[in-house]
Amino acid sequence: MTASTKSSLERTSFSQKRPVLSVILIELLLLIAVFIAGAYATLNELSYTTPVLLSFIPISIVLIIYITMKRKWSHYGFRSLLTIPKRSWIYYLPQLAVLIVVAFNGFKAFTLQDLLFFLFFTLLVAFVEETIYRGLILQILLRSKGIMAAVITSSILFSVTHVLNMLSGQSTADTIMQLAYALLTGAALALLMVKNGNIIPLILFHFIHNLMQFLGNEGRGTSAWDYVIILILLAQCIWLIPDLRKKPCLLQHASDQPEHTY
């Protein structure tokens, strides 16, 4: 073994050498953190937002420190919106359609304090979930397992995390619907990430979508609008998949940057 080959192997990151194990560890750590926070909130009869706050705030701090130290903000898609080609903005129209459909449910009366809280809460959720699933996990799998495996796996894992909503008393039927909803949302966002290599629009959509839901009318459960959204997202996935035959934009950006171990 030559010195250069040995040096190259030493620089290879753990996620490159063990991509599947890396993804499993990331998902397990997230689930464990949310489960422990959920159990604590349930035992102490705290609000339904407490588990997310207790788990996602420290996770977001760790993510920010890690990405900053490794200088990987651009690597994980945190780029200027100007890097998205003008002709590619058309692919985000289904997200706009989804937000319009969500708005049809109407909104409840809320105070300024409620608004400020949910602005912080939903931005926190959007940042953490998009960074983990469309950033870390998608990137790890994309290089080692290919586009479809990366998109499908990251979407399934994103969907699975929503099972924990049952800890807050959500019904089984609503949870199943949310799993399907989250699976297609995750797939659509992952495909957009692969195509345009920019995570900012995904965080903005996730943030606005969740904010509208939290400020929307309560107690509706699953409605016909949910099925409309599922159809929109399914159509978007079918629309995007054939266009991924050429080299993904995400890989083009990644290949232009030096590799950092992590």
Side-chain angles (χ1 to χ4, degrees):
M1 181 182 293
T2 64
S4 60
T5 302
K6 183 177 180 180
S7 176
S8 177
L9 289 174
E10 288 175 350
R11 289 197 301 270
T12 302
S13 67
F14 177 79
S15 64
Q16 289 175 309
K17 292 184 289 187
R18 299 287 187 273
V20 175
L21 180 58
S22 298
V23 168
I24 291 173
L25 288 175
I26 291 171
E27 180 71 5
L28 281 178
L29 289 173
L30 176 63
L31 291 176
I32 290 171
V34 176
F35 179 81
I36 292 175
Y40 175 82
T42 300
L43 290 173
N44 290 277
E45 299 181 348
L46 302 176
S47 70
Y48 68 96
T49 59
T50 301
V52 173
L53 291 173
L54 290 178
S55 56
F56 276 33
I57 289 177
I59 290 174
S60 67
I61 294 173
V62 170
L63 286 172
I64 291 171
I65 293 174
Y66 165 75
I67 297 175
T68 300
M69 290 182 63
K70 297 297 181 180
R71 294 179 292 173
K72 282 182 169 283
W73 287 105
S74 180
H75 179 77
Y76 290 124
F78 290 89
R79 305 185 181 97
S80 167
L81 294 178
L82 296 177
T83 62
I84 300 175
K86 291 181 180 179
R87 63 183 180 277
S88 292
W89 281 102
I90 191 174
Y91 295 106
Y92 296 97
L93 288 179
Q95 274 59 53
L96 178 60
V98 168
L99 294 179
I100 291 172
V101 172
V102 172
F104 283 158
N105 185 53
F107 298 93
K108 63 187 177 184
F110 54 85
T111 64
L112 178 59
Q113 183 178 358
D114 292 332
L115 176 61
L116 293 176
F117 172 77
F118 283 117
L119 280 171
F120 168 75
F121 182 82
T122 53
L123 185 57
L124 172 69
V125 171
F127 170 76
V128 170
E129 292 189 346
E130 291 305 317
T131 302
I132 288 177
Y133 291 103
R134 261 65 71 180
L136 294 172
I137 290 178
L138 185 67
Q139 280 274 16
I140 290 171
L141 294 174
L142 192 60
R143 286 182 169 277
S144 60
K145 302 300 179 181
I147 297 173
M148 292 313 299
V151 169
I152 292 172
T153 302
S154 63
S155 303
I156 290 174
L157 293 177
F158 175 65
S159 177
V160 167
T161 58
H162 290 78
V163 173
L164 296 177
N165 287 330
M166 295 182 72
L167 293 175
S168 62
Q170 180 172 277
S171 69
T172 302
D174 285 343
T175 300
I176 292 174
M177 169 56 72
Q178 191 168 28
L179 287 175
Y181 193 116
L183 178 65
L184 286 171
T185 299
L189 297 184
L191 288 168
L192 285 170
M193 181 64 177
V194 171
K195 178 165 184 60
N196 291 327
N198 199 311
I199 203 171
I200 301 299
L202 313 186
I203 292 176
L204 290 175
F205 166 74
H206 200 148
F207 161 58
I208 296 171
H209 175 275
N210 285 5
L211 179 64
M212 292 173 67
Q213 285 198 323
F214 276 109
L215 297 179
N217 291 321
E218 296 178 322
R220 67 183 183 92
T222 300
S223 73
W225 293 120
D226 293 316
Y227 293 100
V228 172
I229 291 174
I230 285 177
L231 288 175
I232 292 173
L233 295 171
L234 179 60
Q236 182 180 25
C237 291
I238 295 173
W239 181 26
L240 285 169
I241 288 173
D243 198 47
L244 296 177
R245 293 171 185 162
K246 53 188 178 181
K247 186 176 181 181
C249 183
L250 185 58
L251 285 180
Q252 291 177 15
H253 283 294
S255 63
D256 293 336
Q257 297 190 32
E259 195 70 41
H260 299 281
T261 58
Y262 56 102

